[in-house]
C-alpha cells in the first residue's frame, strides 16, 4: 500500500515537472552559468599572474611530488616537502600556502590536514602541475577567437614566456604537446622577490 | 528565503562543520544500505542473475528521490542547483571503467559502498573486496601519470543529459520517473517468475 502511494507521489511530481518551462530551470554547474568559485583552490593563471606581479614574497609554494620529479621541473620559487615533512616542519603562518602535485592527487588531502591544523590561507593549485603546464606554459591558441579572447590570450602568452614555456598551435593535439623541460625555469630565479607580498584576489 | 543549499558551497558551513556533517551522513548512509539488505554479497550478486533485483530497486529509488528533490527544491528557490558539482564526462575511459567496475561487482559481490557496509558488519569477503579496492586506488594513483592521455581522452565537458539531448530538464525528469516506475513493476514480475527473491541466512 505504502509503495503504491509513494509511486503515485513520484508520478505526480515527475508529471508536474514536465510542465515547468525551461527558462525557470537552473542546470547544475558546468556548461550553464558561471563556474562556481572554489574556496580551496587557485587557478594556474591566477597563480602565474600573482608570481609575475609580486614574486614569491608572502607566498609559500609547496611541491608535493618526488625529489626527482621536483628536480626535473618545478614552479619557480617552490619548495619540495612531503606530507610527513609538512606536519613536522610547519609553515610560516603569515604566508599564503599553495600546494601542488601532478594533478590534484595528494594535494587535497594535505590541504585538509593543514586546514585542520589551523592554517588560514591554504590553497590547492587547481588541476595541479598538469593545469599549470596546459594553461601557463603551453597555452593553446583556440581557432576563431573573439576580440576579448584575443586580449586574454595575449596575457597568457606573456605569462607563458615569463615562465619559459611556449604556446601550442591551434591545430596541435594536446597529447603531442611538448612535455615539461628540465631547466626551463632555471634562468627565471632572478626574477623573483620583486615586490611586497599581497593577496591573491 | 535566506538559507540556500548546498550549504557548504553557499558558505553556510565551514570545513570543520562540513566534515562533522559528512560523518553523520556517512553513518546514516551505511545504516540504510545495511537495512536495505545490501550488506549481503549473495543478494548483491544475484541481481546479475535476475533472481533478486533489490539493488536495482534501491538504486532507482535513490535516483528518483534525489532527482525529484533536487528539481523541486531548485524550483522552490531553496537549493541553488548551479552550485552542484557536475563531474566531466570522458566517454571511452568511463565506459571502460564501468565495464571493469561491473566485472568486479559480479566477481566480488560488492560495490565500493556496500563493501564498506558489509566489512563493518564483519563479513570477511567484503573485507577482501575493501582491501582490493584500496590497493586498486593506490595503484591507479601511481599509474595515473602514465595513463593520463587515455583517462582524459574523448572529453565531453561537464554536460548533463538535458543538454546532450536538447530536452527541457523537466521533460527529462518526467521520462526518468516513468522509466523508474515501469522498472519497479517489471522488476517485481521478473523476480516472481524466477521464484521470488533470494533469502540467504545471515
Amino acid at each position: 500500500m505504502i509503495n503504491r502511494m509513494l509511486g503515485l507521489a513520484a508520478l505526480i511530481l515527475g508529471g508536474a515537472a514536465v510542465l515547468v518551462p525551461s527558462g525557470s530551470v537552473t542546470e547544475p554547474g558546468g556548461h550553464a552559468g558561471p563556474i562556481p568559485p572554489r574556496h580551496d583552490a587557485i587557478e594556474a593563471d591566477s597563480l602565474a599572474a600573482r608570481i609575475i606581479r609580486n614574486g614569491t614574497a608572502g607566498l609559500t609554494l609547496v611541491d608535493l611530488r618526488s625529489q626527482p620529479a621536483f628536480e626535473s621541473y618545478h614552479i619557480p620559487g617552490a619548495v619540495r616537502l612531503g606530507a610527513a615533512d609538512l606536519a613536522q616542519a610547519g609553515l610560516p603562518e603569515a604566508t599564503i600556502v599553495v600546494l601542488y602535485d601532478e594533478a590534484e592527487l595528494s594535494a587535497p588531502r594535505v590541504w585538509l590536514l593543514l586546514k585542520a591544523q589551523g592554517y588560514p590561507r591554504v590553497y590547492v593549485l587547481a588541476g595541479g602541475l598538469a593545469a599549470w603546464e596546459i594553461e601557463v606554459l603551453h597555452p593553446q591558441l583556440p581557432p576563431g577567437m573573439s576580440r576579448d579572447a584575443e586580449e586574454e590570450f595575449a596575457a597568457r602568452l606573456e605569462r607563458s614566456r615569463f615562465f619559459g614555456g611556449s604556446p601550442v598551435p591551434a591545430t596541435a593535439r594536446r597529447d603531442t604537446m611538448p612535455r615539461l623541460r628540465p631547466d626551463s625555469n632555471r634562468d627565471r630565479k632572478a626574477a623573483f622577490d620583486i615586490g611586497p607580498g599581497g593577496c591573491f584576489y | 528565503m535566506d538559507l540556500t543549499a548546498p550549504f557548504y558551497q553557499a558558505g553556510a558551513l565551514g570545513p570543520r562543520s562540513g566534515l562533522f556533517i559528512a560523518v553523520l551522513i556517512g553513518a546514516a548512509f551505511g545504516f540504510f544500505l545495511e537495512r536495505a539488505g545490501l550488506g549481503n554479497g549473495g543478494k548483491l550478486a544475484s541481481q546479475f542473475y535476475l533472481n533478486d533485483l533489490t539493488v536495482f530497486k534501491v538504486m532507482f529509488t535513490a535516483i528518483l528521490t534525489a532527482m525529484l528533490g533536487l528539481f523541486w527544491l531548485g524550483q522552490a528557490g531553496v537549493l541553488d542547483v548551479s552550485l552542484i558539482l557536475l563531474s566531466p564526462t570522458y566517454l571511452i575511459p568511463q565506459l571502460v571503467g564501468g565495464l571493469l567496475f561491473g566485472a568486479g561487482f559480479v566477481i566480488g559481490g560488492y560495490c565500493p559502498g556496500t563493501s564498506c557496509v558489509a566489512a563493518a558488519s564483519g563479513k570477511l569477503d567484503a573485507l577482501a573486496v575493501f582491501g582490493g579496492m584500496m590497493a586498486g586506488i593506490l595503484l591507479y594513483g601511481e599509474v595515473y601519470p602514465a595513463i593520463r592521455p587515455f583517462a582524459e581522452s574523448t572529453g565531453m565537458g561537464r554536460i548533463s543529459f538535458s543538454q546532450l539531448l536538447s530536452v527541457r530538464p523537466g521533460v527529462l525528469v518526467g521520462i526518468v520517473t516513468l522509466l523508474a516506475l515501469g522498472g519497479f513493476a517489471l522488476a517485481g514480475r521478473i523476480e516472481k517468475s524466477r521464484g521470488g527473491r533470494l533469502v540467504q541466512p545471515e
Side-chain angles (χ1 to χ4, degrees):
Chain A
M1 182 64 187
I2 195 159
N3 281 356
R4 285 182 183 227
M5 280 173 66
L6 286 172
L8 188 66
L11 195 62
I12 292 169
L13 287 172
V18 177
L19 305 174
V20 175
S22 62
S24 66
V25 180
T26 317
E27 288 275 355
H31 279 326
I35 297 166
R38 282 179 64 180
H39 304 298
D40 60 341
I42 174 159
E43 299 294 330
D45 276 345
S46 307
L47 178 65
R50 162 69 167 72
I51 294 176
I52 293 170
R53 202 171 56 240
N54 292 335
T56 49
L59 183 69
T60 307
L61 260 173
V62 180
D63 190 318
L64 297 163
R65 298 170 309 143
S66 64
Q67 188 66 35
F70 178 80
E71 281 166 12
S72 168
Y73 177 85
H74 58 264
I75 297 178
V79 289
R80 200 204 79 81
L81 284 173
D85 308 330
L86 265 174
Q88 286 179 352
L91 292 164
E93 287 209 13
T95 65
I96 296 167
V97 179
V98 177
L99 308 163
Y100 72 87
D101 56 12
E102 279 282 358
E104 283 198 60
L105 297 171
S106 60
R109 187 167 48 88
V110 178
W111 177 87
L112 202 62
L113 286 172
L114 290 179
K115 274 286 181 188
Q117 285 177 16
Y119 286 99
R121 290 191 292 171
V122 188
Y123 300 90
V124 165
L125 174 62
L129 206 55
W132 176 266
E133 196 180 347
I134 289 169
E135 290 167 26
V136 176
L137 292 183
H138 308 298
Q140 190 165 21
L141 183 78
M145 280 195 303
S146 69
R147 185 167 286 273
D148 280 355
E150 268 178 35
E151 281 175 16
E152 164 60 25
F153 194 75
R156 286 195 149 190
L157 279 186
E158 267 182 42
R159 289 198 284 268
S160 168
R161 283 193 204 105
F162 182 90
F163 288 101
S166 58
V168 178
T171 48
R173 279 167 55 95
R174 269 293 178 194
D175 50 11
T176 60
M177 183 175 69
R179 304 297 301 170
L180 290 172
R181 293 194 317 274
D183 300 329
S184 64
N185 62 351
R186 202 146 283 176
D187 55 343
R188 296 280 150 198
K189 285 189 176 149
F192 292 114
D193 302 326
I194 50 179
C199 266
F200 269 124
Y201 301 109
Chain B
M1 196 174 286
D2 277 329
L3 200 61
T4 309
F7 300 127
Y8 188 77
Q9 280 84 346
L13 285 179
R16 272 162 201 263
S17 42
L19 275 178
F20 178 69
I21 288 175
V23 170
L24 288 186
I25 293 175
F29 180 69
F31 176 79
F32 286 110
L33 268 187
E34 162 66 24
R35 288 293 83 202
L38 302 191
N40 181 331
K43 196 177 181 70
L44 291 166
S46 64
Q47 171 194 228
F48 298 103
Y49 303 97
L50 300 178
N51 290 328
D52 186 332
L53 294 167
T54 306
V55 177
F56 169 82
K57 286 189 267 190
V58 168
M59 291 311 293
F60 251 91
T61 306
I63 289 169
L64 197 61
T65 310
M67 179 188 69
L68 291 172
L70 286 177
F71 184 84
W72 285 110
L73 288 176
Q75 284 298 304
V78 183
L79 175 79
D80 186 349
V81 182
S82 73
L83 288 182
I84 292 174
L85 182 71
L86 199 64
S87 299
T89 298
Y90 297 97
L91 197 60
I92 301 292
Q94 283 167 353
L95 276 174
V96 172
L99 279 172
L100 203 62
F101 181 95
F105 199 164
V106 181
I107 295 167
Y110 295 99
C111 66
T114 53
S115 76
C116 295
V117 168
S121 61
K123 294 201 172 69
L124 291 179
D125 57 342
L127 209 57
V129 171
F130 182 75
M133 179 174 75
M134 286 297 150
I137 290 171
L138 282 175
L139 186 68
Y140 185 77
E142 288 301 317
V143 301
Y144 185 76
I147 60 167
R148 207 173 84 197
F150 172 69
E152 293 179 359
S153 62
T154 58
M156 295 170 71
R158 298 177 189 278
I159 190 163
S160 67
F161 263 118
S162 61
Q163 289 161 344
L164 184 69
L165 305 173
S166 300
V167 174
R168 277 193 286 130
V171 173
L172 204 69
V173 168
I175 293 172
V176 174
T177 305
L178 283 179
L179 281 177
L181 293 176
F184 292 149
L186 190 67
R189 284 191 181 193
I190 290 174
E191 280 175 348
K192 262 187 198 161
S193 72
R194 307 277 295 184
R197 261 186 250 163
L198 184 82
V199 183
Q200 276 210 340
E202 282 292 318

